[in-house]
Structures are given as structure tokens and as C-alpha cells.
Amino acid sequence: MTIRALITDKDGEGYATKLTTIDQADLGEGDVTISVEYSTVNYKDGLALNGKRIMASYPLIGGIDLAGTVEASDSINFQPGDKVLVNGYGLSQTHNGGYSEKARVPAEWVIPLPEKFSTRDAMAIGTAGYTAMLCILALEHGGLTPASGDVLVTGANGGVGSIAISILSGLGYNVLASTGRPSEAEYLKSLGAADIVDRNTLSEPGRPIGSEKWAGAVDSVGSHTLANVLAQTKYEGVVAACGLAQGMDLPASVAPFILRNVTLAGIDSVNAGRAKRIEAWERLAKDLDPAKLESTISEVKLEEVPDVANAILAGKVRGRTVVNVQS
């Protein structure tokens, strides 16, 4: 049986991604076969499709997220007809990912779809929304509450940022949204941002410690931005770091940690444990406003994914991009 798949390959001239057909037997190892209905395009997908550090071998089917219906299962935990989702793990790194009409994955990677969500909803959330919730859980674990003060969200126009703003504002936090696109202020405020912070005030080298401005932050940018966020975090504040859009470096000092007792929580969505994943998805079902989620979505077909991947690396994509795999 042949299926459509978006395959990234490498040759002497570079990297290329094209829509083609493959035999279902070539999907790879796993004990659950899923008919994929939707996937997503995340920043990490943009990196993967452009040959930037993600894929460990070629050719490979990209897509770090997928949601659909179980077609066959050798696991007692899943039956044909079950609605499920997969985020991260080896998808698009060492294992074929979600940009295919079918996927075969290990059962331990598979999460039952919360009843509140359709498979499209789950991919509108995707790794970005699941990561945003992991960040919020980390802020709460550090003791942050709405009474603690403002919470800053960097990379606010992206998937993590958009969903973090939506959830935090719904929980009662006063959210500041950092963006380099002033034209997006109305969109960000519609998600719940109370005010906009110019990205340029955070992205250049700054002082080791500055005036106290926010009690917490969700950062998907890294580098000088994260250093400046830490330097301006209030006493006993909490910062969750989940991304590296500006860079992997952290040109900061220990001053915020030893003078203000600031906590820096690292967030890994790829290999997070199953219990943490289930907790995050249960909280998403409880705390994410479906109307706000819908306002962040654009939908594309498989063949449009490479163009979106390029646009997301160029910082030209707002919110969440859902891939309708079967269209």
C-alpha cells in the first residue's frame, strides 16, 4: 500500500523536501499504526526541513507532531479507532514524523486525545501549545500566582507565545507580550496581552542586573533576550526557557540568581515523561479558551509545508499552522 509523504533528503547541492509516495512498509518500527489526520509546522520543523541540526539521517519524513486515528496496534493500551496524538520524542529526528498519511510509532509515545479536543484542535495546540503549558506548570511550581505580578512572554507572535498569552491571561495573569512587529499588537491583545514590549529593548547586550519589571516570564528566544529577561525579573521571580530563536548562548551573569533569588526553569518538550505530558494535556483541555485558540490558526496542505517552514524561520508566521494531511 502506498501513501503520500513529505520527505526531506540531502544531496551534494543541499537539502530538498518534496511530496512523494512511499510504501507503508517503509514507515519504520513501532507497535501502533496511526492514520494521520493533522500535523503542524513549528519553528523546529522549519529547522529540520532546512537541514539545521534536527534530522539525524536522510531521507526522513518530517513533522514533530501528529494526531489521528489508530489503524492497527500491537499494544494493549490502544485499539483501532482510538483518537490519539504524538508530540516530539524521535519524530523528525531519528524516526519518520507526521508529514505523512500514516505513521508507525512506539506505543509509549502515544497519548490519548483529550475528549474536549478534535484531532485538528490537538494540532492547533501541537508542540507549541504543549510546550507553553509545560512552561506555565514550571511557573506554578516555582510559586508564581497572578498576585505575584506581571508575566512577560517573549516571541509573542509565535506558537508558544500566542498560546502562553491565551492561557496565562485566562488564569488571571497580567501578561506583557514582547514582539518586534508593532502591527501585531491588536492580535496579541485579542489573545489577552495587557501591554506590548518592544523586542528591541531586550535583544541587545544589557546590564548584568536591571530594574525589576516582571515576576515571571516565558521565553522562547534565548541569547541576549533571555539574559535581559532574567536581569529584570523581580525578587523570587520565575523564568521558563523553552527556545533559542535568537541563539543558544546565554550571555548573562549570576546576579539575578544570587541577588534576587530568581529561578530559571529549563523546559524540554521532546523527552518529557509520560505523566508530565498527560498533565499538560489535561490542563490544556481545562485552561485553553477554544475561541482564542481558533483565532491563532492558519491551515495548509502537505505540499505547502516547505514554504511555511521557510517563512517561520524568517519570523513571518503568526500563531499556529495546522497541516491537513489528508487534503
Side-chain angles (χ1 to χ4, degrees), residues 229-326:
V229 169
L230 290 166
Q232 296 174 68
T233 298
K234 294 181 178 180
Y235 192 84
E236 293 189 337
V238 187
V239 177
C242 64
L244 42 71
Q246 187 178 10
M248 292 184 66
D249 58 322
L250 181 55
S253 80
V254 298
F257 309 114
I258 64 175
L259 297 180
R260 291 192 182 148
N261 202 25
V262 169
T263 297
L264 175 59
I267 305 300
D268 167 44
S269 62
V270 176
N271 296 304
R274 184 175 180 80
K276 180 65 72 174
R277 290 170 181 267
I278 291 173
E279 180 185 9
W281 279 99
E282 287 177 346
R283 282 290 301 275
L284 284 161
K286 176 184 175 184
D287 295 330
L288 181 57
D289 182 343
K292 286 185 178 180
L293 175 64
E294 187 63 32
S295 72
T296 72
I297 300 170
S298 59
E299 186 172 313
V300 299
K301 299 178 181 179
L302 268 178
E303 55 264 36
E304 299 174 274
V305 167
D307 288 339
V308 178
N310 292 333
I312 204 168
L313 293 185
K316 296 180 180 179
V317 173
R318 169 211 276 184
R320 300 289 296 131
T321 301
V322 173
V323 182
N324 189 334
V325 175
Q326 300 292 335

Coordinates of all heavy atoms in Angstrom, one line a residue, residues 229-326:
V229 N 15.8 39.4 30.2 CA 14.6 39.0 30.9 C 15.0 38.6 32.3 O 14.4 39.1 33.3 CB 13.9 37.8 30.2 CG1 12.8 37.2 31.1 CG2 13.3 38.3 28.9
L230 N 16.0 37.8 32.5 CA 16.5 37.4 33.8 C 16.9 38.7 34.6 O 16.6 38.8 35.8 CB 17.6 36.4 33.7 CG 17.3 35.1 33.2 CD1 18.5 34.3 32.8 CD2 16.5 34.3 34.3
A231 N 17.7 39.6 34.0 CA 18.2 40.7 34.7 C 17.1 41.7 35.2 O 17.3 42.4 36.1 CB 19.1 41.5 33.8
Q232 N 15.9 41.6 34.6 CA 14.8 42.5 35.0 C 13.7 41.8 35.7 O 12.6 42.3 35.9 CB 14.3 43.2 33.8 CG 15.4 44.1 33.2 CD 15.0 44.8 31.8 OE1 14.1 45.6 31.8 NE2 15.6 44.3 30.8
T233 N 13.9 40.5 36.1 CA 12.9 39.8 36.9 C 12.9 40.1 38.3 O 14.0 40.3 38.9 CB 13.2 38.2 36.7 OG1 13.1 37.9 35.3 CG2 12.2 37.4 37.4
K234 N 11.8 40.2 38.9 CA 11.6 40.6 40.3 C 12.2 39.6 41.3 O 12.4 38.4 40.9 CB 10.2 40.9 40.7 CG 9.6 42.1 39.9 CD 8.1 42.3 40.3 CE 7.6 43.6 39.6 NZ 6.1 43.8 40.0
Y235 N 12.3 40.0 42.5 CA 12.8 39.1 43.6 C 11.9 37.8 43.7 O 10.7 37.9 43.7 CB 12.8 39.8 44.9 CG 13.6 39.0 46.0 CD1 15.0 39.1 46.1 CD2 12.9 38.2 46.9 CE1 15.7 38.4 47.0 CE2 13.6 37.4 47.8 CZ 15.0 37.6 47.9 OH 15.7 36.8 48.8
E236 N 12.5 36.7 43.7 CA 11.8 35.4 43.8 C 11.0 35.1 42.5 O 10.0 34.3 42.6 CB 11.0 35.2 45.1 CG 11.9 35.1 46.3 CD 11.1 34.7 47.6 OE1 9.9 34.9 47.6 OE2 11.8 34.2 48.5
G237 N 11.3 35.8 41.4 CA 10.6 35.5 40.2 C 11.0 34.2 39.5 O 12.0 33.6 39.9
V238 N 10.2 33.8 38.5 CA 10.5 32.5 37.8 C 10.4 32.7 36.3 O 9.5 33.4 35.8 CB 9.4 31.5 38.2 CG1 9.8 30.1 37.6 CG2 9.2 31.4 39.7
V239 N 11.4 32.2 35.6 CA 11.5 32.3 34.2 C 11.6 30.9 33.6 O 12.4 30.1 34.0 CB 12.7 33.2 33.7 CG1 12.8 33.2 32.2 CG2 12.6 34.6 34.3
A240 N 10.7 30.6 32.7 CA 10.7 29.3 32.0 C 11.3 29.5 30.6 O 10.8 30.3 29.8 CB 9.3 28.7 31.9
A241 N 12.4 28.8 30.3 CA 13.1 29.0 29.0 C 12.9 27.7 28.1 O 13.2 26.6 28.6 CB 14.6 29.2 29.2
C242 N 12.3 27.9 26.9 CA 12.0 26.8 26.1 C 12.5 26.9 24.7 O 12.2 26.0 23.9 CB 10.5 26.6 26.1 SG 9.5 27.9 25.4
G243 N 13.2 28.0 24.3 CA 13.5 28.1 22.9 C 14.8 28.8 22.7 O 15.4 29.4 23.6
L244 N 15.2 28.9 21.4 CA 16.5 29.5 21.0 C 16.4 30.3 19.7 O 17.4 30.3 18.9 CB 17.6 28.4 21.0 CG 17.2 27.1 20.3 CD1 17.1 27.2 18.8 CD2 18.3 26.0 20.7
A245 N 15.3 31.0 19.5 CA 15.1 31.7 18.2 C 16.2 32.7 18.0 O 16.6 32.9 16.8 CB 13.8 32.3 18.2
Q246 N 16.7 33.3 19.0 CA 17.8 34.3 18.8 C 19.2 33.6 18.9 O 20.1 34.1 18.3 CB 17.7 35.4 19.9 CG 18.8 36.5 19.7 CD 18.7 37.6 20.7 OE1 18.0 37.5 21.7 NE2 19.3 38.8 20.4
G247 N 19.3 32.5 19.7 CA 20.6 31.8 19.8 C 20.6 30.9 21.0 O 19.8 31.0 21.9
M248 N 21.6 30.0 20.9 CA 21.8 29.0 22.0 C 22.6 29.6 23.2 O 22.6 29.0 24.3 CB 22.5 27.8 21.5 CG 21.6 27.0 20.5 SD 22.4 25.4 20.0 CE 22.5 24.5 21.6
D249 N 23.2 30.7 23.0 CA 24.1 31.3 24.0 C 23.2 31.9 25.1 O 22.1 32.3 24.9 CB 25.1 32.3 23.4 CG 24.4 33.4 22.7 OD1 23.4 33.2 22.1 OD2 24.9 34.6 22.8
L250 N 23.8 32.1 26.3 CA 23.2 32.9 27.4 C 24.2 33.8 28.0 O 24.9 33.4 29.0 CB 22.6 31.9 28.4 CG 21.9 32.5 29.6 CD1 20.8 33.5 29.1 CD2 21.4 31.5 30.5
P251 N 24.4 35.0 27.4 CA 25.4 35.9 27.9 C 24.9 36.7 29.1 O 24.7 37.9 29.1 CB 25.6 36.9 26.7 CG 24.3 36.8 26.0 CD 23.7 35.5 26.2
A252 N 24.7 36.0 30.2 CA 24.2 36.5 31.5 C 25.2 36.4 32.6 O 26.3 35.9 32.4 CB 22.9 35.8 31.8
S253 N 24.8 36.9 33.8 CA 25.6 36.7 35.0 C 24.8 36.0 36.0 O 23.6 35.7 35.9 CB 26.0 38.1 35.5 OG 24.9 38.7 36.2
V254 N 25.5 35.7 37.1 CA 24.8 35.0 38.2 C 24.0 36.0 39.1 O 23.3 35.6 40.0 CB 25.8 34.2 39.1 CG1 26.4 33.1 38.3 CG2 26.8 35.2 39.8
A255 N 24.1 37.3 38.8 CA 23.5 38.3 39.7 C 22.0 38.1 39.9 O 21.6 38.2 41.1 CB 23.7 39.7 39.1
P256 N 21.2 37.8 38.9 CA 19.7 37.7 39.2 C 19.5 36.5 40.1 O 18.5 36.5 40.9 CB 19.1 37.4 37.8 CG 20.1 38.0 36.9 CD 21.4 37.8 37.5
F257 N 20.3 35.5 40.1 CA 20.1 34.3 40.9 C 20.5 34.4 42.3 O 19.8 34.0 43.2 CB 20.8 33.1 40.2 CG 20.6 32.9 38.8 CD1 21.6 33.1 37.8 CD2 19.3 32.6 38.3 CE1 21.3 33.0 36.5 CE2 19.0 32.4 37.0 CZ 20.0 32.6 36.0
I258 N 21.6 35.1 42.5 CA 22.2 35.2 43.9 C 21.8 36.5 44.6 O 21.8 36.6 45.8 CB 23.7 35.0 44.0 CG1 24.4 36.2 43.2 CG2 24.1 33.7 43.4 CD1 25.9 36.1 43.3
L259 N 21.3 37.5 43.8 CA 20.9 38.8 44.5 C 19.3 38.8 44.6 O 18.8 39.5 45.5 CB 21.4 40.0 43.7 CG 22.9 40.1 43.6 CD1 23.3 41.4 42.8 CD2 23.5 40.2 45.0
R260 N 18.7 38.2 43.6 CA 17.2 38.3 43.6 C 16.5 36.9 43.8 O 15.3 36.8 43.7 CB 16.7 39.0 42.4 CG 17.0 40.5 42.3 CD 16.3 41.2 41.2 NE 16.7 42.6 41.2 CZ 16.8 43.3 40.1 NH1 16.5 42.8 38.9 NH2 17.1 44.6 40.2
N261 N 17.3 35.9 43.9 CA 16.7 34.5 44.1 C 15.8 34.1 43.0 O 14.7 33.5 43.1 CB 15.9 34.5 45.4 CG 15.7 33.1 46.0 OD1 16.5 32.2 45.6 ND2 14.7 32.9 46.8
V262 N 16.2 34.5 41.8 CA 15.4 34.2 40.6 C 15.6 32.8 40.2 O 16.7 32.2 40.3 CB 15.8 35.1 39.4 CG1 15.2 34.6 38.1 CG2 15.3 36.6 39.7
T263 N 14.5 32.1 39.7 CA 14.6 30.7 39.3 C 14.5 30.7 37.8 O 13.6 31.3 37.2 CB 13.4 29.9 39.8 OG1 13.6 29.8 41.3 CG2 13.4 28.5 39.3
L264 N 15.5 30.0 37.1 CA 15.4 29.7 35.7 C 15.1 28.3 35.5 O 15.9 27.4 35.9 CB 16.8 30.0 35.0 CG 16.9 29.7 33.6 CD1 15.8 30.4 32.7 CD2 18.3 30.0 33.0
A265 N 13.9 28.0 34.9 CA 13.4 26.6 34.7 C 13.6 26.3 33.2 O 13.0 26.9 32.4 CB 12.0 26.5 35.1
G266 N 14.4 25.2 33.0 CA 14.5 24.8 31.6 C 13.4 23.8 31.2 O 13.0 23.0 32.0
I267 N 12.9 24.0 30.0 CA 11.7 23.2 29.5 C 12.1 22.4 28.3 O 12.5 22.9 27.3 CB 10.5 24.2 29.2 CG1 10.2 25.1 30.3 CG2 9.3 23.4 28.7 CD1 9.7 24.4 31.6
D268 N 12.0 21.1 28.4 CA 12.2 20.2 27.3 C 10.9 19.5 27.0 O 10.4 18.7 27.8 CB 13.3 19.1 27.7 CG 13.3 18.0 26.7 OD1 13.3 18.3 25.5 OD2 13.4 16.8 27.2
S269 N 10.4 19.7 25.8 CA 9.1 19.1 25.4 C 9.4 17.8 24.7 O 8.5 17.0 24.6 CB 8.4 20.0 24.5 OG 9.1 20.3 23.3
V270 N 10.6 17.5 24.2 CA 10.8 16.4 23.3 C 10.8 15.1 24.1 O 10.2 14.1 23.8 CB 12.2 16.5 22.6 CG1 12.5 15.2 21.8 CG2 12.2 17.7 21.7
N271 N 11.5 15.1 25.3 CA 11.7 13.8 26.1 C 11.0 13.9 27.4 O 11.3 13.1 28.3 CB 13.1 13.5 26.2 CG 13.8 13.2 24.9 OD1 13.4 12.3 24.2 ND2 14.9 14.0 24.6
A272 N 10.1 14.8 27.6 CA 9.3 14.9 28.9 C 8.6 13.6 29.1 O 8.2 12.9 28.2 CB 8.3 16.0 28.8
G273 N 8.5 13.2 30.4 CA 7.9 12.0 30.8 C 6.4 11.9 30.5 O 5.8 12.9 30.4
R274 N 5.9 10.7 30.4 CA 4.5 10.5 30.0 C 3.6 11.1 31.0 O 2.6 11.8 30.6 CB 4.3 9.0 30.0 CG 2.9 8.7 29.5 CD 2.7 7.1 29.3 NE 1.3 6.8 28.8 CZ 1.0 6.9 27.6 NH1 1.8 7.3 26.7 NH2 -0.3 6.6 27.2
A275 N 3.8 11.1 32.3 CA 3.0 11.7 33.3 C 2.9 13.2 33.2 O 1.8 13.8 33.3 CB 3.4 11.3 34.7
K276 N 4.0 13.8 32.9 CA 4.1 15.2 32.7 C 3.3 15.6 31.4 O 2.6 16.6 31.4 CB 5.5 15.7 32.6 CG 5.7 17.2 32.4 CD 5.2 18.0 33.6 CE 6.1 17.9 34.8 NZ 5.7 18.7 35.9
R277 N 3.4 14.8 30.4 CA 2.7 15.1 29.1 C 1.2 15.0 29.4 O 0.4 15.9 28.9 CB 3.1 14.1 28.1 CG 4.5 14.2 27.5 CD 4.9 13.0 26.7 NE 6.3 13.2 26.2 CZ 6.6 13.7 25.0 NH1 5.7 14.1 24.2 NH2 7.9 13.8 24.7
I278 N 0.8 14.0 30.0 CA -0.7 13.8 30.3 C -1.2 15.0 31.2 O -2.3 15.5 30.9 CB -1.0 12.5 30.9 CG1 -0.7 11.4 29.9 CG2 -2.4 12.4 31.5 CD1 -0.8 10.0 30.5
E279 N -0.4 15.4 32.2 CA -0.8 16.5 33.0 C -0.9 17.8 32.2 O -1.9 18.5 32.3 CB 0.2 16.8 34.1 CG -0.1 17.9 35.0 CD 1.0 18.3 36.0 OE1 2.1 17.7 35.9 OE2 0.7 19.1 36.9
A280 N 0.0 18.0 31.3 CA 0.0 19.2 30.4 C -1.3 19.2 29.5 O -1.9 20.2 29.4 CB 1.2 19.3 29.6
W281 N -1.6 18.0 28.9 CA -2.7 18.0 28.0 C -4.0 18.1 28.8 O -5.0 18.7 28.3 CB -2.7 16.7 27.2 CG -1.8 16.9 26.0 CD1 -0.5 16.5 25.9 CD2 -2.1 17.6 24.8 NE1 0.1 16.9 24.7 CE2 -0.9 17.6 24.0 CE3 -3.2 18.3 24.3 CZ2 -0.8 18.2 22.7 CZ3 -3.1 18.9 23.0 CH2 -2.0 18.8 22.3
E282 N -4.1 17.6 30.0 CA -5.3 17.7 30.8 C -5.5 19.2 31.2 O -6.6 19.7 31.2 CB -5.2 16.9 32.1 CG -5.3 15.4 31.8 CD -5.1 14.6 33.1 OE1 -4.6 15.1 34.1 OE2 -5.5 13.3 33.0
R283 N -4.4 19.9 31.5 CA -4.5 21.3 31.8 C -4.9 22.1 30.6 O -5.7 23.1 30.7 CB -3.2 21.8 32.4 CG -3.0 21.5 33.9 CD -3.9 22.2 34.8 NE -3.8 23.7 34.7 CZ -2.9 24.4 35.3 NH1 -2.1 23.8 36.2 NH2 -2.8 25.7 35.1
L284 N -4.4 21.8 29.4 CA -4.8 22.5 28.2 C -6.3 22.3 27.9 O -6.9 23.3 27.5 CB -4.0 21.9 27.0 CG -2.5 22.3 26.9 CD1 -1.7 21.4 26.0 CD2 -2.4 23.8 26.3
A285 N -6.8 21.1 28.2 CA -8.2 20.9 28.0 C -9.0 21.7 28.9 O -10.2 22.2 28.6 CB -8.5 19.4 28.2
K286 N -8.5 22.0 30.1 CA -9.2 22.8 31.1 C -9.0 24.3 31.0 O -10.0 25.1 31.1 CB -8.7 22.4 32.5 CG -9.2 23.2 33.7 CD -8.6 22.8 35.0 CE -9.1 23.6 36.1 NZ -8.3 23.3 37.4
D287 N -7.8 24.8 30.6 CA -7.5 26.2 30.7 C -7.4 26.9 29.4 O -7.3 28.2 29.4 CB -6.1 26.3 31.4 CG -6.2 25.8 32.9 OD1 -7.3 25.9 33.5 OD2 -5.2 25.4 33.4
L288 N -7.4 26.3 28.3 CA -7.2 27.0 27.0 C -8.6 27.3 26.4 O -9.4 26.4 26.1 CB -6.4 26.1 26.0 CG -6.1 26.7 24.6 CD1 -5.4 28.1 24.7 CD2 -5.3 25.8 23.8
D289 N -8.8 28.6 26.1 CA -10.1 29.0 25.6 C -10.1 28.6 24.1 O -9.3 29.1 23.3 CB -10.2 30.5 25.7 CG -11.5 31.1 25.2 OD1 -12.2 30.4 24.4 OD2 -11.8 32.3 25.5
P290 N -11.1 27.8 23.7 CA -11.2 27.3 22.3 C -11.3 28.5 21.3 O -10.8 28.4 20.2 CB -12.4 26.4 22.2 CG -12.6 26.0 23.7 CD -12.1 27.1 24.5
A291 N -12.0 29.5 21.6 CA -12.2 30.7 20.7 C -10.9 31.4 20.5 O -10.5 31.8 19.4 CB -13.2 31.6 21.3
K292 N -10.1 31.5 21.5 CA -8.8 32.2 21.4 C -7.9 31.3 20.6 O -7.1 31.7 19.7 CB -8.1 32.4 22.7 CG -8.8 33.6 23.5 CD -8.0 33.9 24.8 CE -8.6 35.1 25.5 NZ -7.8 35.4 26.8
L293 N -7.9 30.0 20.8 CA -7.1 29.0 20.0 C -7.4 29.1 18.5 O -6.5 29.2 17.7 CB -7.4 27.6 20.5 CG -6.7 26.5 19.7 CD1 -5.2 26.6 19.8 CD2 -7.2 25.1 20.2
E294 N -8.7 29.2 18.2 CA -9.1 29.2 16.8 C -8.6 30.5 16.1 O -8.2 30.5 14.9 CB -10.6 29.2 16.7 CG -11.2 29.0 15.2 CD -10.7 27.8 14.5 OE1 -10.6 26.7 15.2 OE2 -10.5 27.8 13.3
S295 N -8.5 31.6 16.8 CA -8.0 32.8 16.3 C -6.5 32.8 15.9 O -6.0 33.7 15.2 CB -8.3 34.0 17.2 OG -7.4 34.0 18.3
T296 N -5.8 31.8 16.4 CA -4.4 31.7 16.1 C -4.0 30.9 14.9 O -2.9 30.8 14.5 CB -3.6 31.1 17.3 OG1 -3.9 29.7 17.4 CG2 -3.9 31.8 18.6
I297 N -5.0 30.2 14.3 CA -4.8 29.1 13.4 C -4.8 29.6 11.9 O -5.7 30.3 11.5 CB -5.9 28.0 13.5 CG1 -5.8 27.4 14.9 CG2 -5.7 26.9 12.5 CD1 -7.0 26.5 15.3
S298 N -3.9 29.1 11.1 CA -4.0 29.0 9.7 C -3.8 27.6 9.3 O -3.1 26.8 9.9 CB -3.0 29.9 9.0 OG -1.6 29.5 9.3
E299 N -4.5 27.1 8.2 CA -4.4 25.7 7.8 C -3.8 25.6 6.4 O -4.2 26.4 5.5 CB -5.8 25.1 7.8 CG -5.9 23.7 7.5 CD -7.3 23.0 7.8 OE1 -7.9 23.3 8.8 OE2 -7.7 22.3 6.9
V300 N -2.9 24.6 6.2 CA -2.3 24.4 4.9 C -2.3 22.9 4.6 O -2.6 22.1 5.4 CB -0.8 24.9 4.9 CG1 -0.7 26.4 5.2 CG2 0.0 24.1 5.9
K301 N -2.0 22.6 3.3 CA -1.9 21.2 2.8 C -0.4 20.8 2.9 O 0.5 21.6 3.1 CB -2.4 21.1 1.4 CG -3.8 21.5 1.2 CD -4.2 21.5 -0.3 CE -5.7 21.9 -0.5 NZ -6.0 21.8 -1.9
L302 N -0.2 19.5 2.8 CA 1.2 18.9 2.9 C 2.1 19.6 1.9 O 3.3 20.0 2.3 CB 1.1 17.4 2.6 CG 1.0 16.5 3.7 CD1 1.0 15.0 3.2 CD2 2.1 16.6 4.7
E303 N 1.7 19.9 0.7 CA 2.6 20.4 -0.3 C 3.0 21.9 0.0 O 4.0 22.4 -0.5 CB 2.0 20.3 -1.7 CG 0.6 21.0 -1.9 CD -0.5 19.9 -1.7 OE1 -0.3 19.0 -0.9 OE2 -1.5 20.1 -2.5
E304 N 2.2 22.5 0.9 CA 2.5 23.9 1.3 C 3.5 24.0 2.4 O 4.0 25.1 2.8 CB 1.3 24.7 1.6 CG 0.2 24.7 0.5 CD -1.1 25.4 0.9 OE1 -1.9 24.6 1.4 OE2 -1.2 26.6 0.8
V305 N 3.8 22.9 3.1 CA 4.6 22.9 4.3 C 6.0 23.5 4.1 O 6.5 24.3 4.9 CB 4.7 21.5 4.9 CG1 5.8 21.5 6.0 CG2 3.4 21.1 5.5
P306 N 6.8 23.2 3.0 CA 8.1 23.7 2.8 C 8.1 25.3 2.8 O 9.0 25.9 3.4 CB 8.6 23.2 1.5 CG 7.9 21.8 1.4 CD 6.5 22.1 2.0
D307 N 7.2 25.9 2.2 CA 7.1 27.4 2.1 C 6.8 27.9 3.5 O 7.4 28.9 3.9 CB 6.0 27.8 1.2 CG 6.4 27.6 -0.3 OD1 7.6 27.5 -0.6 OD2 5.5 27.6 -1.2
V308 N 6.0 27.3 4.3 CA 5.7 27.7 5.6 C 6.9 27.6 6.5 O 7.2 28.4 7.3 CB 4.5 27.0 6.2 CG1 4.2 27.4 7.7 CG2 3.2 27.2 5.4
A309 N 7.6 26.5 6.3 CA 8.9 26.2 7.1 C 9.9 27.3 6.9 O 10.5 27.8 7.8 CB 9.5 24.9 6.7
N310 N 10.0 27.8 5.6 CA 10.9 28.9 5.4 C 10.4 30.2 6.0 O 11.2 31.0 6.6 CB 11.0 29.1 3.8 CG 11.8 28.0 3.2 OD1 12.6 27.3 3.8 ND2 11.5 27.7 1.9
A311 N 9.1 30.4 5.9 CA 8.5 31.7 6.5 C 8.7 31.7 8.0 O 8.9 32.8 8.6 CB 7.1 31.8 6.1
I312 N 8.5 30.6 8.7 CA 8.6 30.6 10.1 C 10.0 30.9 10.6 O 10.2 31.6 11.6 CB 8.1 29.2 10.7 CG1 7.6 29.4 12.1 CG2 9.1 28.1 10.6 CD1 6.8 28.2 12.7
L313 N 11.0 30.4 9.8 CA 12.4 30.8 10.2 C 12.7 32.3 10.0 O 13.5 32.8 10.6 CB 13.4 29.9 9.4 CG 13.4 28.4 9.7 CD1 14.6 27.8 8.9 CD2 13.6 28.2 11.2
A314 N 12.0 32.8 9.0 CA 12.2 34.3 8.7 C 11.3 35.2 9.6 O 11.3 36.4 9.5 CB 11.8 34.5 7.3
G315 N 10.6 34.5 10.6 CA 9.8 35.3 11.5 C 8.6 35.9 10.9 O 8.1 37.0 11.4
K316 N 8.0 35.3 9.9 CA 6.9 35.8 9.2 C 5.6 35.1 9.4 O 4.6 35.4 8.7 CB 7.2 35.9 7.7 CG 8.3 36.8 7.3 CD 8.6 36.7 5.8 CE 9.8 37.6 5.4 NZ 10.0 37.6 3.9
V317 N 5.6 34.2 10.4 CA 4.4 33.4 10.6 C 3.8 33.8 12.0 O 4.5 33.9 13.0 CB 4.7 31.9 10.7 CG1 3.5 31.1 11.1 CG2 5.1 31.4 9.3
R318 N 2.5 34.0 12.0 CA 1.8 34.4 13.2 C 1.0 33.1 13.7 O 0.4 32.4 13.0 CB 0.8 35.5 13.0 CG -0.2 35.7 14.1 CD -1.5 36.2 13.7 NE -1.5 37.7 13.4 CZ -2.6 38.3 13.1 NH1 -3.8 37.7 12.9 NH2 -2.6 39.6 12.9
G319 N 1.1 32.9 15.1 CA 0.3 31.9 15.7 C 0.7 30.5 15.2 O 1.8 30.1 15.1
R320 N -0.4 29.7 15.0 CA -0.2 28.3 14.7 C -0.6 27.9 13.3 O -1.6 28.4 12.8 CB -1.1 27.5 15.7 CG -0.8 27.7 17.1 CD 0.5 27.1 17.5 NE 0.4 25.6 17.4 CZ 1.4 24.9 16.7 NH1 2.4 25.4 16.2 NH2 1.2 23.6 16.7
T321 N 0.2 27.0 12.7 CA -0.1 26.5 11.4 C -0.4 25.0 11.5 O 0.4 24.2 11.9 CB 1.1 26.7 10.4 OG1 1.4 28.1 10.3 CG2 0.8 26.1 9.0
V322 N -1.7 24.7 11.1 CA -2.1 23.3 11.1 C -2.0 22.7 9.7 O -2.4 23.4 8.7 CB -3.6 23.2 11.6 CG1 -4.2 21.8 11.4 CG2 -3.7 23.7 13.0
V323 N -1.5 21.5 9.6 CA -1.4 20.8 8.3 C -2.4 19.8 8.2 O -2.5 18.8 9.0 CB 0.0 20.1 8.2 CG1 0.2 19.5 6.8 CG2 1.1 21.2 8.4
N324 N -3.3 20.0 7.2 CA -4.4 19.0 6.9 C -3.7 17.9 6.0 O -3.6 18.1 4.8 CB -5.5 19.7 6.2 CG -6.7 18.7 6.0 OD1 -6.6 17.5 6.0 ND2 -7.9 19.3 5.9
V325 N -3.3 16.8 6.6 CA -2.5 15.8 5.9 C -3.4 15.0 4.9 O -2.8 14.6 3.9 CB -2.0 14.8 7.0 CG1 -1.2 13.6 6.3 CG2 -1.0 15.5 7.9
Q326 N -4.6 14.9 5.1 CA -5.5 14.1 4.2 C -6.1 14.9 3.0 O -6.7 14.3 2.1 CB -6.6 13.5 5.0 CG -6.2 12.5 6.1 CD -5.5 11.3 5.6 OE1 -5.7 10.8 4.5 NE2 -4.7 10.7 6.4

